[in-house]
Amino acid sequence: MLEIKHLTISFYDSPVPDVVLSDFSMTMEPGEILGIVGESGSGKTMMALALMGLLKKTARIESGEILWMGKDLLRASEEELRSLRGNEISMIFQEPMTSLNPVLPVGMQVEESLKIHTDMGKEERKKKALEMMKAAELPNPGELYHKYPHQLSGGMRQRVMIASALVLNPRVMIADEPTTALDVTIQAEILKLLQKINREKKTAILFISHDLGVVRKLCDRALVMHQGVTVEQGNIESLFESPKEDYTRKLLSSIPTRETRLRRRKLHE
Amino acid sequence: MSDTVVLEVRHMNSFYKDPGQKRQQVLKDVSFVVHQGEILGLVGESGCGKSTLSKAILGFVKDYEGEIIHHTKNPQMVFQDPFSSLNPGKKIGWILEEPLRHNSRAGKAERRQQVENMIERVGLTRDYLERYPRELSGGQRQRVSIAISLIQGSRFIIADEPVSALDVTIQKQIMELMISLQEEMGLSYLFISHDLNVIYQMCDRVIVMKDGQIVEEGEIEEVYSHPKHPYTKQLLESSMEW
């Protein structure tokens, strides 16, 4: 469905161009949850932004192809890309507050893509928006429809983002650190919701995260990235049970778990 | 753990008021002690009052009732984002020497010696003293802020989410550094985090806060294996599940 081949991206912010993604390749199958794991500066977000055609102006794609159903997005017109975003591929971010319009009721924002991409009438759009808000497990969609983003909690705002990302029933949703800014109890709810959406609507999810624990439980396959390069990829079990590369092992051994403690000292010594 | 206490907080109630709004209670009857040489964890979700508590301990909250009794001199704080507390226009050496310039009687050569010793203690080489904060990575900056907190001889550190902004590999290094400094120098920490696994890795005891109240307190293994309060159970389950 989606294939990226030998993608290299550089930033031209300084006199010496900075390679942020180097010879990156991946494929994504319909309905799967693919994890992209890496620390800051690994290139994981740049890859997603390239996919959405949202790279900043100082970024240049040096080489490679992004194939959607065999069609190269890097050579697609702005119009083709616009129709693809929303209709086929949508994206949610870490901080919903920055992508939501602060002066527009959230219901209007959920139905915005319908306005742009479909010829649905007003009533029909509202009905669809309420339906999506319900699917995103927002309480009292009818009431919430008229509220503004600042009146919602972080978890509810992320649900609104998810509702608006799904309103056109895309085949892929890119989720870039969607739960990183949330409290642990809310994070668990949002992840469960993503899992449910994937199961029920068969929406494939490209899940970008620094959190290996979450990736392990949510994803079918994952790619480990480091400094713009793919270090290792594979299905979740083999990646976590028998990592081949040193960096993957280091990453895995750094996750704070409840199996071992760094603090060895006994109390009452 | 010794019986010596470095900090006592007794029946602390704190209040907050926005202009034109009603006065609201943030902390509700919070009492606890930090023992000499222990790492006490404070865990809770956003808005539970953990940051207010750390500010109150250092005297930044004026509207409160109850008692805060320090048994050590000069408690210091380490923050989540060291970049905002490091002067961008000065080199690390200057920044690290600054507290000594104001509060110590040591001469120039002696101050320099203390600065050089301290930068090495936190795992950086002396050439970092000649660099600017922007030239350092997040982990290196956190090392510098730990050095600043210790340079005046403080033995009690309040660390508010000190590893939350760091990548996991760096996070582990900073946690290891804090533990080894604790052991070498006999420090005491109040270690604040939203991350239950980080708390488990680091701390001897833990306090769980919700809505401005302490809902549970105990030794780490005990609380994690036999949580008593439903909220502690919910927190542990949510983070276990994912």
Side-chain angles (χ1 to χ4, degrees):
Chain A
M1 175 176 63
L2 173 67
E3 193 174 6
I4 298 182
K5 283 183 179 171
H6 309 294
L7 187 65
T8 297
I9 303 172
S10 301
F11 278 1
Y12 285 81
D13 295 322
S14 56
V16 185
D18 196 6
V19 180
V20 292
L21 194 68
S22 173
D23 197 24
F24 177 86
S25 298
M26 69 152 202
T27 58
M28 207 176 165
E29 303 301 327
E32 78 168 334
I33 307 186
L34 175 62
I36 307 284
V37 198
E39 298 187 288
S40 44
S42 63
K44 54 193 195 303
T45 294
M46 291 311 138
M47 184 273 291
L49 293 178
L51 192 52
M52 293 295 282
L54 295 174
L55 283 172
K56 56 178 184 172
K57 287 200 172 66
T58 50
R60 189 190 295 167
I61 292 172
E62 308 281 8
S63 59
E65 292 173 301
I66 302 178
L67 302 171
W68 175 257
M69 306 287 178
K71 185 176 173 53
D72 190 354
L73 300 186
L74 298 177
R75 280 160 194 85
S77 68
E78 186 54 41
E79 201 169 324
E80 283 172 309
L81 278 180
R82 204 177 303 133
S83 132
L84 196 76
R85 290 196 289 256
N87 267 323
E88 306 274 14
I89 309 176
S90 65
M91 185 160 179
I92 58 171
F93 300 89
Q94 176 172 338
E95 186 32 82
M97 204 55 190
T98 54
S99 10
L100 289 170
N101 183 340
V103 295
L104 208 62
V106 295
M108 312 270 288
Q109 305 193 48
V110 172
E111 58 178 73
E112 196 178 346
S113 312
L114 296 172
K115 219 170 172 176
I116 300 167
H117 295 279
T118 72
D119 46 18
M120 277 186 190
K122 208 176 165 187
E123 289 305 307
E124 206 181 344
R125 287 203 303 263
K126 183 167 179 182
K127 192 166 154 258
K128 181 75 185 167
L130 290 173
E131 192 186 303
M132 287 321 298
M133 289 168 77
K134 195 159 170 258
E137 294 169 355
L138 280 159
N140 306 323
E143 195 183 312
L144 221 57
Y145 183 92
H146 301 286
K147 298 229 164 163
Y148 292 90
H150 73 267
Q151 295 172 299
L152 273 54
S153 66
M156 299 234 283
R157 287 199 284 259
Q158 197 56 287
R159 288 176 193 276
V160 167
M161 281 306 295
I162 292 171
S164 65
L166 292 175
V167 75
L168 291 163
N169 199 19
R171 289 179 203 244
V172 182
M173 178 164 69
I174 303 171
D176 189 358
E177 304 271 6
T179 62
T180 306
L182 303 173
D183 280 328
V184 47
T185 50
I186 311 298
Q187 164 169 312
E189 291 171 13
I190 297 287
L191 291 168
K192 258 185 236 161
L193 173 65
L194 292 179
Q195 222 167 24
K196 191 184 105 180
I197 287 162
N198 170 261
R199 249 181 240 137
E200 290 176 4
K201 295 187 179 289
K202 309 282 175 237
T203 313
I205 299 175
L206 185 61
F207 188 83
I208 300 172
S209 179
H210 72 286
D211 190 331
L212 287 105
V214 168
V215 166
R216 180 177 200 163
K217 284 173 186 133
L218 185 72
C219 302
D220 307 313
R221 282 195 305 131
L223 241 104
V224 180
M225 294 182 67
H226 183 51
Q227 296 179 344
V229 177
T230 305
V231 176
E232 189 166 356
Q233 56 177 308
N235 71 49
I236 285 296
E237 288 87 62
S238 66
L239 206 57
F240 280 81
E241 298 304 331
S242 47
K244 289 186 188 61
E245 300 298 323
D246 286 344
Y247 178 73
T248 314
R249 277 196 285 271
K250 182 181 170 197
L251 209 52
L252 287 171
S253 69
S254 300
I255 316 175
T257 66
R258 273 179 237 156
E259 281 151 32
T260 54
R261 296 183 58 200
L262 287 173
R263 178 80 161 160
R264 305 231 176 264
R265 184 164 157 278
K266 287 268 175 291
L267 290 175
H268 309 301
E269 62 192 8
Chain B
M1 185 172 76
S2 72
D3 292 333
T4 317
V5 165
V6 294
L7 172 75
E8 285 174 76
V9 173
R10 287 188 196 152
H11 303 294
M12 173 97 179
N13 291 300
S14 86
F15 304 89
Y16 178 78
K17 190 180 177 302
D18 271 331
Q21 302 271 323
K22 264 173 68 183
R23 184 175 178 241
Q24 285 183 353
Q25 186 161 3
V26 182
L27 298 174
K28 294 162 194 160
D29 197 25
V30 170
S31 298
F32 66 94
V33 296
V34 182
H35 296 96
Q36 163 67 41
E38 86 168 332
I39 306 183
L40 175 64
L42 173 57
V43 70
E45 297 189 293
S46 46
C48 74
K50 54 189 195 301
S51 288
T52 301
L53 182 57
S54 67
K55 284 181 201 140
I57 291 168
L58 290 177
F60 297 127
V61 173
K62 297 298 171 206
D63 192 0
Y64 76 94
E65 298 158 356
E67 281 180 287
I68 302 163
I69 306 159
H70 285 279
H71 297 280
T72 57
K73 280 184 197 151
N74 202 2
Q76 292 286 317
M77 191 139 178
V78 171
F79 297 95
Q80 175 171 345
D81 176 16
F83 202 51
S84 56
S85 47
L86 300 178
N87 184 338
K90 297 289 182 187
K91 289 180 181 169
I92 300 302
W94 188 93
I95 295 172
L96 201 45
E97 197 184 328
E98 180 67 355
L100 299 176
R101 234 175 258 127
H102 293 289
N103 304 321
S104 144
R105 290 197 187 140
K108 207 172 176 185
E110 198 184 332
R111 291 201 306 256
R112 188 68 193 175
Q113 187 62 46
Q114 286 179 329
V115 165
E116 287 178 354
N117 288 346
M118 191 48 77
I119 200 80
E120 286 175 352
R121 274 212 115 134
V122 298
L124 296 174
T125 49
R126 287 182 192 184
D127 51 311
Y128 280 90
L129 297 173
E130 300 306 317
R131 300 190 193 180
Y132 290 96
R134 64 168 182 275
E135 298 176 298
L136 270 55
S137 68
Q140 289 163 348
R141 285 199 286 260
Q142 200 54 291
R143 287 175 190 272
V144 169
S145 62
I146 291 168
I148 295 170
S149 74
L150 295 174
I151 196 140
Q152 294 181 79
S154 303
R155 290 295 171 262
F156 173 44
I157 307 294
I158 299 163
D160 192 357
E161 304 272 4
V163 300
S164 302
L166 304 173
D167 282 326
V168 284
T169 52
I170 311 301
Q171 192 173 59
K172 191 180 177 193
Q173 293 168 10
I174 298 294
M175 286 161 67
E176 283 168 340
L177 172 70
M178 289 186 73
I179 289 175
S180 70
L181 288 170
Q182 189 285 323
E183 287 167 357
E184 288 163 26
M185 304 168 81
L187 306 176
S188 314
Y189 298 137
L190 177 62
F191 189 95
I192 303 171
S193 179
H194 69 285
D195 188 325
L196 285 126
N197 291 354
V198 165
I199 292 273
Y200 182 75
Q201 295 260 313
M202 283 287 297
C203 302
D204 303 317
R205 284 195 308 132
V206 64
I207 287 173
V208 182
M209 269 185 86
K210 183 181 197 298
D211 299 333
Q213 283 175 305
I214 294 177
V215 297
E216 186 151 1
E217 178 180 357
E219 292 187 13
I220 204 96
E221 301 279 6
E222 181 59 24
V223 170
Y224 277 62
S225 43
H226 307 289
K228 290 188 183 69
H229 195 277
Y231 179 68
T232 314
K233 284 180 194 161
Q234 190 200 352
L235 270 184
L236 287 168
E237 278 164 18
S238 304
S239 72
M240 248 339 216
E241 204 178 336
W242 290 98

